[in-house]
Amino acid sequence: MNSLFPQGSLTRSLSSPRTLVNMVMTGLAFVCGVLALIPLLAVLYYVVIRGFSSLDIHIFTQLPPPPFGKNGGFGNAILGTLLMVGIAAIISVPVGVLAAIYLSEFSSQRIARWIRFATNVLSGVPSIIAGVFAYGIVVLTLVKLNLGSYSALGGGVALAILMLPIIVRTTDEALQLVSQDLRQASIGLGSTNLQTVILVVLPTALPAIVTGSILAIARAAGETAPLIFTALFSSFWPDSILKPTASLAVLVYNFATSPYQTWQSLAWAASLILVFMVLITSIIARWVTRKKDLI
């Protein structure tokens, strides 16, 4: 019987064409993965080395020093960044989430298709265009009303424009991933569409919505061009949303290109703080996603 039907082997010969192609492609994929990590690791290494050497407790509590001064900091830039990102989140998160709810739950397919297309186009618009738009809408309006010019409000509006498409897209996708069985079960129990969305769909998609919002905030925190057009910069503590306000990104741009050693050191320290802020927001986003997977 064994002579008529010889037993085969599940192991593939190393000299077979399929095995060789598989080994070559696996090795090529590994090399490409390493090459993709090299720029990231190089940037992080350089920023960490240069930034840690410039870190000091005074950078969190003091204002930027004069060009030839010492022992300064950029506490005003940290507060200014948090202030403008907070304004942007207050504007973009409710608008983005409500727009996504309308797209996913209440709009017709044709309208939703066009709005999603417009959202994709807006997400690809360069950030400097958002800055120019906010300059024309907010800064020039404040000038006409004699309320100021460059301000944290203008910077927050510019960042909100950049955050909005990210929040709309992530929220829309999160709502679409909610099972239709949950919606049908809720409606079968007598709930209206609005009650189903508020009490069933939104709680189910909430972790993904929070993740998208956090990622949008992380992107907005590192933007420079829109803030140059809208918030400009200030060497003082922020005391009004209608005055020029410092930010970490603009401080890095201004100080890194200056010829003064003190400012260059502060620019490296600010770069490290900015990287840590983005890292923390990314970790929070991953933690929220992981909590959802565990549930």
Side-chain angles (χ1 to χ4, degrees), residues 74 77-78 80-81 221 233 246-253 270-271 273-274 277:
F74 45 81
I78 296 176
T81 300
F233 192 74
S247 62
L248 286 173
V250 177
L251 182 139
V252 171
Y253 172 76
S271 300
I273 298 300
L274 192 57
M277 291 176 63

Side-chain angles (χ1 to χ4, degrees), residues 70-92:
K70 294 182 179 180
N71 297 328
F74 45 81
N76 61 331
I78 296 176
L79 287 180
T81 300
L82 296 177
L83 175 62
M84 287 184 283
V85 171
I87 293 174
I90 292 174
I91 296 173
S92 62

Side-chain angles (χ1 to χ4, degrees), residues 175-192:
L175 294 175
Q176 292 185 47
L177 291 176
V178 177
S179 175
Q180 291 293 334
D181 294 339
L182 292 177
R183 294 180 173 87
Q184 295 174 1
S186 177
I187 294 175
L189 292 174
S191 301
T192 63

Side-chain angles (χ1 to χ4, degrees), residues 207-208 211 283-295:
T211 301
I283 291 175
I284 294 175
R286 292 295 301 271
W287 179 77
V288 172
T289 305
R290 183 174 179 271
K291 293 290 287 184
K292 172 62 178 176
D293 294 337
L294 293 177
I295 294 176

Side-chain angles (χ1 to χ4, degrees), residues 194-215:
L194 183 60
Q195 291 173 333
T196 300
V197 171
I198 295 176
L199 300 178
V200 177
V201 178
L202 275 181
T204 304
L206 185 60
I209 296 173
V210 173
T211 301
S213 301
I214 293 175
L215 293 177

